[in-house]
């Protein structure tokens, strides 16, 4: 089953973030808790970890894109 990866809300006032680096590419295996991309807010750069184990099957944005909180940025095909 495909699971969505979204921009996390790190602070109550946070509205968006910039995807500054992909740490995994399409086709790469991903473990739960492993960082898959980095986001930049007005205060910090943060690595976002996967909540699922599987394979990264889609990147829905590119490095440098500004994405709203809770918007989909990737899909992971979950392994059972």
């Amino acid at each position: 089953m495909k699971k969505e990866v979204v921009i996390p809300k790190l602070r109550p006032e946070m509205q968006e973030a910039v995807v500054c680096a992909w740490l995994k590419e399409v086709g790469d295996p991903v473990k739960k808790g492993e960082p898959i991309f980095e986001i930049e807010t007005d205060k910090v750069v943060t690595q976002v970890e996967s909540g699922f184990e599987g394979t990264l099957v889609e990147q829905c944005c590119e490095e440098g894109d500004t994405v709203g909180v809770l918007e989909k940025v990737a899909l992971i095909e979950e392994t059972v």
Side-chain angles (χ1 to χ4, degrees), residues 10-30:
L10 302 175
R11 297 181 327 280
E13 68 277 7
M14 182 177 161
Q15 299 296 315
E16 61 187 18
V18 176
V19 176
C20 52
W22 283 100
L23 306 175
K24 293 287 188 175
E25 297 298 325
V26 172
D28 286 351
V30 177

Side-chain angles (χ1 to χ4, degrees), residues 4 6 16 24 29 31 40 44 52 55 69 73-74:
E4 291 186 356
V6 300
E16 61 187 18
K24 293 287 188 175
K31 293 181 181 176
E40 181 178 0
V44 295
F52 318 103
T55 302
V69 168
V73 293

Side-chain angles (χ1 to χ4, degrees), residues 18-55:
V18 176
V19 176
C20 52
W22 283 100
L23 306 175
K24 293 287 188 175
E25 297 298 325
V26 172
D28 286 351
V30 177
K31 293 181 181 176
K32 186 174 182 175
E34 183 175 30
I36 53 175
F37 63 98
E38 293 179 343
I39 58 172
E40 181 178 0
T41 65
D42 57 336
K43 298 196 183 253
V44 295
V45 173
T46 303
Q47 291 185 340
V48 178
E49 297 176 352
S50 175
F52 318 103
E53 186 157 335
T55 302

